[in-house]
Amino acid sequence: MSFLRRRKGTDSSKSQNLRCNIVKEDEKNNLYESPRKESYNSKKWSCWDSCCWFIGFVCSVWWFLLLLYNTMPASIPQYVTEAITGPLTDPPGVKLRKEGLTVNHPVVFVPGIVTGGLELWEGHQCAEGLFRKRLWGGSFGELYKRPLCWAQHMSLDNETGLDPPGIRVRPVSGLVAADYFAAGYFVWAVLIANLAQIGYEEKTMYMAAYDWRLSFQNTEVRDQTLSRIKSNIELMVATNGGKKVVVIPHSMGVLYFLHFMKWVEAPPPMGGGGGSEWCAKHIKAVMNIGGPFLGVPKSVSGLFSVEARDIAIARTFAPGFLDKDVFGLQTFQHLMRMTRTWDSTMSMIPKGGDTIWGGLDWSPEGSSFNCGAKTLRNNSINNTGQIPNINLANMKDVNYGRIISFGKDVAEAHSSKIERVDLLDSMKADMLANLTNCDIWIEYHDIGDHRIKAVADYKVYTAGSILDLLHFVSPKLMARGGAHFSYGIADNLDDPKYQHYKYWSNPLETKLPDAPDMEIYSMYGVGIPTERAYVYKVTTATDCSIPFQIDTSAEGGSEDSCLKGGVFSADGDETVPVLSAGLMAAKGWRGKTRFNPSGIPTYIREYSHAPPANLLEGRGTQSGAHVDIMGNFALIEDVIRVAAGATGKELGGDHRRCSPDGIPTVGGSKPQPHWHYDRLGAVAK
Amino acid sequence: MASNFLRLRKPYYVESTINCSSSSDQKLVNLSFGINETRNQTKKRQAKEHHGRRSCLDSCCWVTGYLCTTWWLLLFLYHCCLPFTAVHEVPELMPAARLKREGLTGIHPVVLVPGIVTGGLELWEGKPCADGLFRKRLWGGGGFTQLLKRPLCWLEHLSLHNETGLDPPGIRVRPIPGLFGADYSAPGYFVWDVLVKNLAKIGYEGKNLHMAAYDWRLSFQNTEVRDRTLSRLKSKIELMYQANGNKKVVVVPHAMGVAYFLHFLKWVETPPPMGGGGGPGWCAEHIKAIVNIGPSFLGVPKAVSNILSAEGKDVAYFRAMAPGVLDSGTLGLRALEHVMRVSRTWDSVVSLMPKGGETIWGNMDWSPEDEHVCDFSKKRYFRLSPSDNNVNNSNEKQVFRVKDPVKYGRIISFGKAASVLHSSQLPTAVLKEILHMSASRNFNSSCGEAWTEYDEMSRESIRKIGAADKAYTATTLFDLLRFVAPKMMNRAEAHFSHGIADNLDDPKYNHYKYWSNPLEMKLPDAPNMEIYCSYGVGIPTERSYVYKLSPNNKCKRIPYQIDTSVDGEDDSCLKSGVYFTDGDESVPVLSAGFMCAKGWKGRTWFNPSGINTYVREYQSKPPTSGIKSTTHVDIMGNIALIEDILRVAAGATGEEIGGNKIYSDILRMSERINLRL
């Protein structure tokens, strides 16, 4: 230290020497031309001074405002909001506490994909100092600071789907794991706060955090997560006087919990050995929020070309920016490489094939959903209580069944007019990959131009053939995923092969547990256009980029067409189509079916989307969007009532987007017949 | 390194040139050149002219901007240099890195049990004044900023109910679960973090590393009643045992966590409803070893001064340095009174009171530490091999012994005389007199609302206790406390006991209040389990106090305080009213080591199955830098201790890591204690 100090001293004295030479000269100048220079100086500061002044000014103002903000009583924002929008309704927790509701059943949260935090336990040199810091969730600060290092640590091993050597990234545990996804962006926090109002606390709430990158069974293999959930549920039941738990899974957590219910009753070593009574003994209700029971089309575009509507739109606005390698970033390729190591993304590939998602010329949605947001409101005035297909003239029948089509004309033509070259033939044709020397490895570089052309030549892919497509373009990924997930429909559920864990998260290939007193809720938002099918094109870009892109130039003919920017939309919560979220509860499990042998009662609770009225409302209290619905007051109220002991009947049974007497619910959506349930009735059995 | 220096040089150079070229009205650096004068003149002229045109505000902005920019620049440079320094430091911080190269991997799951005040607490329900703090930390981490923002609200929320020792109505403050709970007690002040980092290096992660966070304000049994903490811990241990291939767990409790875990050991094997119903073999089946760090098995004298006057050595020093600041009520602060009011609602403080009475802690004229030498600078420890048990160097130690032994047994004495005179010269039975007198406690509460329990005592009895030349031993102390803090002692003594058992088979010892006192419980029947007592030595530790009546004897004041004017000679154990002995700054060696050194050694009454015990002492070396420090909390970063824990977690037994390692007089102290074993 003393050495340093001395060093400093000499340095400064040296620089003083230097400086003073300059000063000397300055002074000389000053002496000679002092009148002019002085006046110059006094009129105008040097640039440096101005900079300092400016920074100082900004800082001071900022601090001052900060001080004011901090000293402001906490009630002011609320006061302002009330002044603008009228008196606020009580949050459901407060309201229900006044009604006398208190803690009853313990609550288990199961977070979905990407909402759970991940932290670093062991890493490479480049991640020094990040021990037990969040890599995923929180501020994502590391993503900006060292993007490559971050991507490397977030990836899993390409072969095993587990940790790469030398890296251990683990889920954050406890309620903090998923209460906020990023700073200020709530996921579970609102629900937790409301539950706390009626007396819930740490001992009666449990966040079943898991590593959402892994395949479900691997969370048990690596982290024993399923065992931990089992043990925690047993503990909560035991310490709360034998009260069964209410499970609240969200998004992919729904599938994870389906897997758990099968796992816990299956005998070891594959299962948890809880015995066939376990679910009946420990679970009161499963309240699925926005559950992609049958998968989401979004995951297909995600796997196929790492894009969804948002990215495609960004690409049209700033063409070239994302594609160019000016910065040497190759963002997409990195992202793709990273997400492709995550097995869990494959759990959400559409399940049930053409039977559920529609064939070339048929889809369960048909043409009944009106996609234009504007007309949606108009219609609600015009055709209240009538059959909505009045303006069918400007609504072409959408071929939702074709999840991926190459070219807009292909997407809209009748199936007989499409010429397709068989994929399997071309698969045999050319197995030689042309070796590219790209830095970044993605499987596309292994498959060669012929195959890319073959993919495009096949032109149209339905939910069934999507699987072939993915097997074709990324065989390794699908081979890995195929060991953990299955996407079919069971012919005979008693076939012993269905005891394998890869079927457990597919509701069409499993039986629900034998627990007639349990209840299953499907709660999801409706009224938001949701990605359902895509129009693709082959890019002509360089060797090292992804050869397929969503064709954002493909637009529907009229304003209220379902095709926008290369994406066909259907009704849903912005991520999960209604079909996937509601079918099982509406039909597949309704009553005693082969998927639900003990007749577990199911309830559908739909929440109409109403965007926040103004900025002060934040993300809204009536939102139906996939994540924002976690702050929906109606949903929270339902959850609290069930947690406090109510049954589905007491809640009012099914609650669809229009109330029984045909009057539209708040939010301005139009009444519709429940097409999907009726149409699928024929299909599902 | 060279580039490093270059980089460091830059800012200085830049700054100084800036200073020079900027023609501000700041003071100029004096230059040792002849040009000085002319420059100054010019400067003055400039300044005069500028004065008219540049307002004060502008200058202020300028200065702020200048400081900000410099600060940012330095910050930026600091971050640039950080990688270099980090690389330099890491290997030393990480004994695990070396052990990993040796091939050590984590085998046994590890449970960490934090001590008092190190665990974080968060708010779940509060009064309106705590608006917006839902699930924010009140204690630990950033929670202390709330102390500054709204001190009274903060104190109110941290208090417990005065009668039940549980939540006050309308307030729920809960422990923060998981590793976040106690890895740092305040930003930058690590508690468990270094240990956790090292464990992670040899393969530990969430599934085999658990922090048993509990609300350290509650009595131990109440953590189960209110939060089910003991049940959760049991379930967690069972889960980790199963999920890790039936490997037993290694438990690492710290400070009060030691007593908490003793309580757990008894609780888990006791049948419900009082216990956890694990059955008699539970501990043997699930626990490999308990590595107690800085264990306060027999309590700490600090707890007494804390209850009596809410002060310890630190507070007393502070008072001596800046007299009046703490005592003046002018600011309306009355910090100590507030602290006392809050901490007296915490039952757990009572668990730290000295246990075992005069048998352990010494009576008026005798104490087990009689031969202790206080001059810590002259003191030398000799590393002993475990075989020649401390006998050889007892002669050398005698050399240092100069004076009469300190009467450590008198934990509280009023006045210096009372702390040194022979017991026959002291008045007796004063307390009984007072107690008798105040049996008719017709105090006139002239102080209005009762602030602390002192306000409910008559002035006269306060004065009488303080004025008498009276000393209290570990046994009579309880009479005193019961007198000055009747409510608290009433409440807490239903949960804790501080005696020595006459007959451990007496069915009354099945009650939970005896479970955390090692002198009133039997260890479980688990002969393969191991118990370690790991603690720092060689640091002066508070052992007994000299008190006086507070000069400021008004209402709502604490009537007693440590008499900081009392000092011994140079190498005396008495400093500023506090007698020191050997220990780790908080826990005396006696409390930390006695059970392992004697009470549980071999097959004793308290240890019927003959669980192996090991004493592991860590010596403080004079320049106590972070990694070698052995003070009560800093020891958690001590590399020798961490290495021991890692080895045990990786499967080593006590014999394999070297058995006993003793520097202090603990063995001879233990010999002097006459306890039926």
Side-chain angles (χ1 to χ4, degrees), chain A residues 15-30, chain B residues 16-17 19-22 28 31 33 35-36 39:
Chain A
S15 59
Q16 272 183 8
N17 280 344
L18 238 168
R19 173 161 58 109
C20 291
N21 286 336
I22 302 165
V23 168
K24 223 189 269 176
E25 279 173 351
D26 271 3
E27 294 304 319
K28 272 178 197 160
N29 287 345
N30 271 358
Chain B
S16 38
T17 28
N19 252 338
C20 209
S21 62
S22 62
L28 271 180
L31 304 174
F33 283 78
I35 204 78
N36 249 357
R39 184 171 163 76

Side-chain angles (χ1 to χ4, degrees), chain A residues 369 376 525-530 570-573 578 607-609 657 669:
Chain A
F369 179 64
L376 206 128
V526 290
I528 308 178
T530 306
D571 194 7
D573 67 358
V578 169
Y607 302 90
S608 243
H609 175 69
R657 64 192 298 178
S669 57

Side-chain angles (χ1 to χ4, degrees), chain B residues 182 215 220 449 619:
Chain B
D215 190 337
F220 302 155
E449 180 203 7
Q619 190 180 348

Side-chain angles (χ1 to χ4, degrees), chain A residues 56-95:
Chain A
F57 182 71
V58 170
C59 278
S60 311
V61 171
W62 174 247
W63 288 332
F64 182 66
L65 289 177
L66 213 66
L67 185 78
L68 277 186
Y69 177 77
N70 276 331
T71 49
M72 180 180 74
S75 56
I76 282 195
Q78 198 190 344
Y79 176 78
V80 173
T81 317
E82 281 187 14
I84 294 174
T85 59
L88 288 178
T89 46
D90 271 345
V94 177
K95 179 181 143 199

Side-chain angles (χ1 to χ4, degrees), chain A residues 27 45 168 201 203 222, chain B residues 39 54 174 200 226:
Chain A
E27 294 304 319
W45 292 4
R168 282 186 292 149
E201 56 192 64
K203 69 174 168 182
R222 198 193 70 181
Chain B
R39 184 171 163 76
R54 278 189 218 158
R174 294 288 177 268
R226 198 192 70 180

